[in-house]
């Protein structure tokens, strides 16, 4: 019982040490995320100041506009705003879907497997063969017992204690700890052979540790991106409902079993340019005089809600700019993730742990892996760019003639 306690203690201690290192990396990533958030807030403040300056200019410009020009601008802006809402809503939903897409991450996850993967080796087999070749214990039965313990470590609860480290790193750490703990109980154990065993495994864990850092960064950045997109989506929803109600559209409440994306798709499909054109025609008919012309002066004075929506479209513009920032930041994260995964594979190459597969030599396995990784990254980026047209969003919001109608 005492031996079991010592063994468990050492396994947990060294696993915990690994956890502290990875946790430190996580803390650094979170700090970087906070700095990014501060930068985003600073950009939003800068944008608001620019809008305020533009508003002062609009006051001066407004004095020279005729009632006809004012109403035509309001009409044009309101119709275009429905198109902006449609594009922005679709883009948020598309990007969120792409971030949560696990195909690309699933391919990289195979690299972390302890079973035979794209690098041509099985880390489980490496540990067993290395332990066997080192013959750490003098007696055959003790070596066989050690091998039996190693085989059972994969399913041990201790191996799964650390949430951020890969199974390979935990398995290697536990295997080395078992060897050292056994040495404490047996004076005949050759510690030089244990050190050789540990050194050999470190050639592999160098690769796995680098890959763990890349995957941890990706998990944090993906979560951060989804959080920002969902927060933006709620802000868009709040603004949309206010604008829609002011121009006569009363959106229903979200259903209990309805997701936010589906709710948006439903409302945006109804609050369309055609709906806005119809609503504008209804308003104009209220002020049509006997001569068939609309009393634009009275209409501008009475239809305050229409003017209010027009005069606050700068906030819709800021929401679009927020999305563009999140979009660009996500691509920065993805590029960093891709670079770190490539670095991990290069560590594997430098440590000479890549093995040939079939008739492919190790160098060809490396070359093909880098090529496949780049192709999958390119495919994922292309999927995002084809579904999210940032230029279209920028052009559409720029086409809205944003300034205050007094």
């Amino acid at each position: 019982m005492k031996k079991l306690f010592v063994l468990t203690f050492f396994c947990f201690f060294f696993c915990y040490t690994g956890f502290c290192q990875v946790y430190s990396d996580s803390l650094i990533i979170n700090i970087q995320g906070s700095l990014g958030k501060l930068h985003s807030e600073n950009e939003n403040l800068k944008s608001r100041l620019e809008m305020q300056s533009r508003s002062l200019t609009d006051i001066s410009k407004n004095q020279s506009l005729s009632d006809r020009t004012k109403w035509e601008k309001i009409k044009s802006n309101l119709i275009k705003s429905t198109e902006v809402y449609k594009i922005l809503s679709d883009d948020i939903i598309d990007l969120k879907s792409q971030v949560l897409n696990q195909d690309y991450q699933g391919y990289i996850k195979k690299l972390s497997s302890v079973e035979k993967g794209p690098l041509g080796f099985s880390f489980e087999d490496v540990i067993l063969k290395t332990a066997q070749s080192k013959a750490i214990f003098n007696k055959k039965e003790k070596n066989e017992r050690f091998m039996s313990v190693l085989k059972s470590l994969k399913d041990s609860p201790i191996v799964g204690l650390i949430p951020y480290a890969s199974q390979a790193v935990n398995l290697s750490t536990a295997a080395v700890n078992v060897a050292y703990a056994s040495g404490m109980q047996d004076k005949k154990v050759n510690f030089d052979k244990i050190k050789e065993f540990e050194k050999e495994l470190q050639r592999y864990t160098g690769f796995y540790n680098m890959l763990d850092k890349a995957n941890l960064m990706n998990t944090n950045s993906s979560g951060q991106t989804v959080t920002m997109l969902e927060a933006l989506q709620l802000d868009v929803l709040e603004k949309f409902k206010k604008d829609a109600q002011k121009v006569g559209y009363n959106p229903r409440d979200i259903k209990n079993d309805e997701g936010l994306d589906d709710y948006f798709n439903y409302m945006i499909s109804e609050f369309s340019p055609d709906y806005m054109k119809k609503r504008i025609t209804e308003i104009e008919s209220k002020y049509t005089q006997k001569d068939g012309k609309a009393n634009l002066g009275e209409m501008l004075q009475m239809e305050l809600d229409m003017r209010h929506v027009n005069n606050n479209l700068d906030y819709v513009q800021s929401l679009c700019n927020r999305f563009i920032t999140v979009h660009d930041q996500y691509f920065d994260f993805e590029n960093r993730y891709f670079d770190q995964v490539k670095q991990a594979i290069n560590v594997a190459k430098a440590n000479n742990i890549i093995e040939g597969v079939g008739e492919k030599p190790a160098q060809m396995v490396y070359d093909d892996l880098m090529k496949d990784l780049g192709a999958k990254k390119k495919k994922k980026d292309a999927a995002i760019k084809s579904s999210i047209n940032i230029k279209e969003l920028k052009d559409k919001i720029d086409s809205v003639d944003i300034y205050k109608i007094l």
Side-chain angles (χ1 to χ4, degrees):
M1 184 67 185
K2 183 177 180 182
K3 291 181 180 179
L4 179 61
F5 173 77
V6 172
L7 171 61
T8 303
F9 172 78
F10 271 87
C11 289
F12 180 79
F13 174 77
F14 284 100
C15 286
Y16 179 76
T17 302
F19 167 75
C20 291
Q21 175 61 45
V22 181
Y23 178 78
S24 176
D25 294 333
S26 177
L27 182 61
I28 292 172
I29 292 170
N30 288 334
I31 291 174
Q32 291 174 338
S34 297
L35 290 175
K37 183 178 179 181
L38 288 174
H39 176 72
S40 177
E41 291 176 351
N42 182 58
E43 289 298 314
N44 288 336
L45 176 60
K46 180 180 177 182
S47 177
R48 287 198 297 272
L49 291 174
E50 290 175 349
M51 290 177 186
Q52 290 176 0
S53 175
R54 187 165 57 229
S55 295
L56 292 175
T57 303
D58 292 342
I59 292 175
S60 175
K61 185 194 298 185
N62 194 77
Q63 304 300 321
S64 61
L65 296 181
S66 67
D67 289 343
R68 168 63 61 185
T69 301
K70 290 178 181 179
W71 181 242
E72 290 299 326
K73 286 185 178 295
I74 290 175
K75 285 168 53 176
S76 175
N77 284 346
L78 293 184
I79 293 170
K80 289 176 180 177
S81 72
T82 64
E83 298 171 347
V84 172
Y85 275 121
K86 168 66 175 172
I87 296 172
L88 178 57
S89 175
D90 287 349
D91 285 352
I92 292 174
I93 292 171
D94 286 343
L95 183 56
K96 191 164 61 170
S97 175
Q98 290 291 343
V99 173
L100 296 173
N101 187 327
Q102 294 300 311
D103 179 60
Y104 178 61
Q105 283 79 5
Y107 176 76
I108 295 173
K109 189 176 181 181
K110 293 179 182 178
L111 294 170
S112 302
S113 175
V114 298
E115 300 173 355
K116 190 166 184 177
L119 293 180
F121 64 83
S122 163
F123 192 52
E124 288 177 305
D125 293 343
V126 167
I127 293 176
L128 293 173
K129 289 177 181 178
T130 304
Q132 200 167 33
S133 66
K134 299 304 178 185
I136 294 170
F137 302 99
N138 292 325
K139 293 183 179 181
K140 181 181 178 181
E141 60 270 20
K142 288 191 175 181
N143 270 307
E144 290 176 347
R145 175 61 181 162
F146 180 55
M147 295 292 291
S148 177
V149 171
L150 293 184
K151 289 178 181 178
S152 65
L153 274 175
K154 179 186 174 184
D155 300 319
S156 169
I158 292 177
V159 175
L161 277 176
I162 311 305
Y164 294 123
S166 69
Q167 184 184 27
V169 174
N170 290 340
L171 186 59
S172 174
T173 302
V176 173
N177 291 344
V178 168
Y180 277 113
S182 300
M184 292 178 63
Q185 304 299 317
D186 188 348
K187 294 181 180 180
K188 295 181 180 180
V189 170
N190 189 330
F191 279 97
D192 287 337
K193 290 185 177 180
I194 296 178
K195 289 179 180 178
E196 290 174 7
F197 174 61
E198 181 179 16
K199 187 176 180 180
E200 177 64 16
L201 296 188
Q202 284 175 346
R203 292 201 301 128
Y204 293 83
T205 55
F207 156 71
Y208 284 114
N209 276 318
M210 180 69 74
L211 196 59
D212 285 344
K213 290 180 180 179
N215 288 330
L216 175 60
M217 185 204 75
N218 180 64
T219 298
N220 277 276
S221 62
S222 295
Q224 180 181 333
T225 300
V226 171
T227 298
M228 289 190 292
L229 286 173
E230 289 178 342
L232 174 59
Q233 205 169 21
L234 291 174
D235 288 343
V236 173
L237 178 60
E238 181 182 10
K239 174 62 174 170
F240 171 82
K241 282 189 170 183
K242 288 180 179 178
D243 284 358
Q245 289 171 340
K246 284 186 178 298
V247 297
Y249 174 75
N250 294 308
R252 63 166 172 78
D253 293 332
I254 189 170
K255 298 177 182 177
N256 292 331
D257 59 345
E258 189 175 26
L260 191 57
D261 293 351
D262 292 334
Y263 184 47
F264 255 107
N265 286 333
Y266 167 79
M267 289 190 299
I268 295 298
S269 67
E270 288 202 333
F271 193 71
S272 62
D274 286 341
Y275 171 86
M276 186 62 75
K277 290 175 184 177
K278 180 180 178 182
R279 180 64 185 141
I280 288 172
T281 299
E282 291 173 352
I283 291 174
E284 288 178 335
S285 65
K286 288 167 52 179
Y287 299 93
T288 301
Q289 304 172 109
K290 292 181 179 181
D291 59 2
K293 297 181 180 180
N295 188 334
L296 298 176
E298 182 184 5
M299 183 165 55
L300 287 170
Q301 290 298 318
M302 299 301 295
E303 298 298 329
L304 299 180
D305 283 343
M306 302 292 277
R307 282 170 51 188
H308 177 85
V309 173
N310 174 84
N311 291 348
N312 288 277
L313 288 177
D314 51 358
Y315 182 61
V316 179
Q317 184 183 55
S318 73
L319 292 173
C320 292
N321 290 333
R322 269 177 63 187
F323 172 77
I324 293 170
T325 298
V326 174
H327 171 275
D328 293 346
Q329 188 180 64
Y330 175 67
F331 270 98
D332 288 341
F333 282 143
E334 281 294 289
N335 290 334
R336 286 172 55 197
Y337 180 44
F338 178 65
D339 289 340
Q340 287 196 350
V341 172
K342 288 196 300 181
Q343 288 176 27
I345 297 172
N346 283 325
V347 167
K349 184 173 186 288
N351 289 351
N352 198 31
I353 64 174
I354 301 176
E355 297 180 7
V357 177
E359 296 182 356
K360 286 184 181 180
Q363 181 62 44
M364 187 176 292
V365 170
Y366 168 82
D367 292 339
D368 287 350
L369 180 59
M370 285 297 203
K371 183 179 178 180
D372 289 346
L373 187 66
K376 287 188 177 296
K377 171 68 164 58
K378 186 176 181 180
K379 181 179 179 181
K380 182 179 182 180
D381 290 350
I384 296 176
K385 291 176 181 178
S386 64
S387 63
I388 300 173
N389 190 333
I390 290 296
K391 184 178 185 304
E392 179 188 24
L393 179 62
K394 288 180 177 179
D395 289 346
K396 187 57 65 177
I397 192 62
D398 287 345
S399 71
V400 179
D401 194 3
I402 298 176
Y403 69 91
K404 315 298 182 183
I405 299 292
L406 302 180

